[in-house]
Amino acid sequence: MTKEEVEHLAKLARIELSPAEVETFTTEISAILEYVSAVKDIAGDAADTAPTVGRHHNIFRKDEVTNEPNSFTEALLAEMPQTEGRFMVVKKILNTDS
Amino acid sequence: MHTISELRKKFVAGELSPVTVFDEAIATITAKNGNINAFLAVFTEARDEAVAAEARYKAEGDAAPALLGIPLAVKSNILIKGKNATAASKILENYTATYDATVIARLRAAGAIFIGATNMDEFAMGGSTENSAFGPTKNPLDTKRVPGGSSGGSAAAVAMGAVPAALGTDTGGSIRQPASFCGLVGFKPTYGAVSRYGLMAMGSSLDQAGPLTHTVEDAELIHSIISGTDSYDATTLTKDTYPEVPVKDKCVFGVPRKFLADGIDPDVLDTFNAHVEKLKAEGHTVVDIDLPVFEKGLAAYYIVMPAEVSSNLARFDGMRYGLSVEGDNLLDVYQKTRAQGFGKEVKRRILLGTYVLSAGYYDAYYGKAELVRTKMRAELAEVFKTVDVILTPTAPTPAFKIGEQEDPLAMYRQDIFTVPVNLTGVPTLSIPMGTVEREGIDLPVGVQYIAPHGGDARLFAIGKKVYDERQ
């Protein structure tokens, strides 16, 4: 793991890192990756581990509204950092300069 | 120290009032929380519910709901409508929950009173409660030491005598390890036994909510109330998801001896061996077992968990709720909000998760880790053909000192016995097995009982026999 790789990961994860953070994370994440790389040996050959559908599986419900209209609107609006009437204010995503 | 069952008897008999218990709890918190820092928020306004509970006991007696008037502490990553829920993160410092988690709704229906939100490692990431944005929690049994984590505030709230029980969440040991460090009972149910609706997601395929209590009986009572199918969580179990796991009077215990050969404190191992001898003396059978894949679960865990963390925490974008830091453009807002809002351990895990999920590395890490999980489940299924319950110490050490574990990898090794359980989804109960002495103080250590999927009742039955009845 290089500093450049950590900087790239931070960009993907949308977290701004200080140079000091890049430094420590480079060392720490390298050590952790070295440790977890053992899974390659533990997993062994994929052929002898056929993926199985467990007893526990996802259940889908009908795609329908389950609550009264507007029952959460005020509470949710109150949590938003910036609102305009019943709308959330966000930065424009088109035609940005950067 | 009160247990729920003692309080209940006294409430029904009219020997004690829920109001008195509530006031005592607040007095204990006022006296001790400044030092211990178990609670992040205290809900004094809930006293009205204690007053109402007192009246209901007079009118209804034993017909009153099972937890009526019982004060509980709740880990702050579990939503209580109208209350501040921060998960001990700056990014949610001013967040108010807009709905009740299913576990909260069920406890509320059973009459429980929520007295406060407890401290934790930020977003449940850690094993010591030192990773809280609002300062560490201290272990009430030795305030130089950590209470364990990530549900350290919940464990400390019970251990300091404020409440008879608390709710925690367990992704890789976060209920059991603090229970071990604070001398409590901690229970991590079969994955899917308890709804995750209203729990802040960390590792969605690993997370479960459960109780921290003084007795196995109390843990069973809380679990019986919070568990069950929930239409808001499609991963909850139904009655016939798993075959019935019979409760046994005498159990065959399996001890993975090779798993215990390395990296475990010698005093903890001695205490564990003494516990095993006691089980034998009580007529149970103890056999050695081999779990070559299960015992290496830690490596798979630190791939699967950060991968799920990086996905789940993508929701914190500075737009819809929580902290928002002004920036030049949308990307800048994201990056600055997440930089200021998240602590170091959270950032580390998000970066690690982003790496193992990125193109080119996915198969080598996440794919392999999922394959390991499949092998672990197969290995357990084989062992449970001949063994009823698997035994390990809950944690490899007693409570360590605050600030003592600085290397993240060393801290992760605290979870060596607990994470394989979450990766496979089986239920597990941690009960105190004795104490080890450090600097003149007897520190509790726990033993972990693991049952097959759906075997929660088997654990409660054997736990009551070997722990509650000895008290």
Side-chain angles (χ1 to χ4, degrees), chain B residues 26-167:
Chain B
I26 295 293
T28 305
I29 295 169
T30 308
K32 295 184 180 175
N33 199 52
N35 183 27
I36 304 291
N37 198 27
F39 287 88
L40 294 177
V42 183
F43 310 138
T44 47
E45 65 277 15
R47 191 173 191 274
D48 292 348
E49 295 169 44
V51 173
E54 187 186 86
R56 259 189 99 173
Y57 272 113
K58 278 182 186 148
E60 298 175 37
D62 204 22
L67 293 177
L68 185 67
I70 305 288
L72 297 179
V74 178
K75 191 176 179 179
S76 80
N77 62 345
I78 302 174
L79 304 190
I80 305 175
K81 188 176 181 176
K83 305 292 180 196
N84 184 220
T86 65
S89 179
K90 271 197 282 184
I91 214 160
L92 288 177
E93 190 167 3
N94 298 310
Y95 176 72
T96 303
T98 54
Y99 64 98
D100 273 343
T102 295
V103 292
I104 293 299
R106 290 181 178 181
L107 290 169
R108 200 191 285 286
I113 298 173
F114 307 112
I115 201 163
T118 58
N119 201 5
M120 55 188 283
D121 287 296
E122 183 179 1
F123 286 111
M125 298 181 205
S128 66
T129 315
E130 291 168 294
N131 294 337
S132 166
F134 309 111
T137 297
K138 293 178 186 170
N139 191 321
L141 307 172
D142 178 353
T143 52
K144 295 187 300 300
R145 293 176 188 273
V146 303
S150 65
S151 311
S154 287
V158 179
M160 76 190 213
V163 284
L167 271 192

Side-chain angles (χ1 to χ4, degrees), chain B residues 13-296:
Chain B
E15 291 164 15
L16 190 61
S17 159
V19 180
T20 311
V21 171
F22 186 89
D23 290 345
E24 278 174 9
I26 295 293
T28 305
I29 295 169
T30 308
K32 295 184 180 175
N33 199 52
N35 183 27
I36 304 291
N37 198 27
F39 287 88
L40 294 177
V42 183
F43 310 138
T44 47
E45 65 277 15
R47 191 173 191 274
D48 292 348
E49 295 169 44
V51 173
E54 187 186 86
R56 259 189 99 173
Y57 272 113
K58 278 182 186 148
E60 298 175 37
D62 204 22
L67 293 177
L68 185 67
I70 305 288
L72 297 179
V74 178
K75 191 176 179 179
S76 80
N77 62 345
I78 302 174
L79 304 190
I80 305 175
K81 188 176 181 176
K83 305 292 180 196
N84 184 220
T86 65
S89 179
K90 271 197 282 184
I91 214 160
L92 288 177
E93 190 167 3
N94 298 310
Y95 176 72
T96 303
T98 54
Y99 64 98
D100 273 343
T102 295
V103 292
I104 293 299
R106 290 181 178 181
L107 290 169
R108 200 191 285 286
I113 298 173
F114 307 112
I115 201 163
T118 58
N119 201 5
M120 55 188 283
D121 287 296
E122 183 179 1
F123 286 111
M125 298 181 205
S128 66
T129 315
E130 291 168 294
N131 294 337
S132 166
F134 309 111
T137 297
K138 293 178 186 170
N139 191 321
L141 307 172
D142 178 353
T143 52
K144 295 187 300 300
R145 293 176 188 273
V146 303
S150 65
S151 311
S154 287
V158 179
M160 76 190 213
V163 284
L167 271 192
T169 60
D170 191 313
T171 305
S174 283
I175 290 173
R176 292 160 283 158
Q177 185 248 24
S180 177
F181 284 10
C182 292
L184 303 173
V185 171
F187 181 65
K188 198 292 284 182
T190 301
Y191 179 81
V194 175
S195 169
R196 290 178 292 111
Y197 180 71
L199 269 52
M200 290 185 202
M202 175 187 168
S204 304
S205 75
L206 308 159
D207 298 341
Q208 277 290 284
L212 289 121
T213 57
H214 287 297
T215 63
V216 176
E217 186 189 13
D218 283 357
E220 183 179 28
L221 174 64
I222 290 187
H223 178 72
S224 74
I225 290 163
I226 62 176
S227 59
T229 314
D230 178 18
S231 60
Y232 291 126
D233 177 358
T235 62
T236 46
L237 308 175
T238 58
K239 273 200 165 26
D240 50 4
T241 308
Y242 293 115
E244 200 196 327
V245 179
V247 167
K248 300 205 171 170
D249 192 41
K250 298 288 176 208
C251 284
V252 179
F253 288 97
V255 178
R257 278 289 161 196
K258 280 183 199 158
F259 198 6
L260 311 181
D262 211 19
I264 175 169
D265 180 282
D267 295 339
V268 173
L269 189 57
D270 285 349
T271 314
F272 177 78
N273 288 334
H275 184 80
V276 169
E277 289 309 314
K278 258 191 253 176
L279 290 173
K280 283 186 196 166
E282 286 169 13
H284 301 286
T285 309
V286 182
V287 297
D288 285 358
I289 54 169
D290 204 11
L291 296 169
V293 187
F294 189 81
E295 69 183 39
K296 297 192 186 83

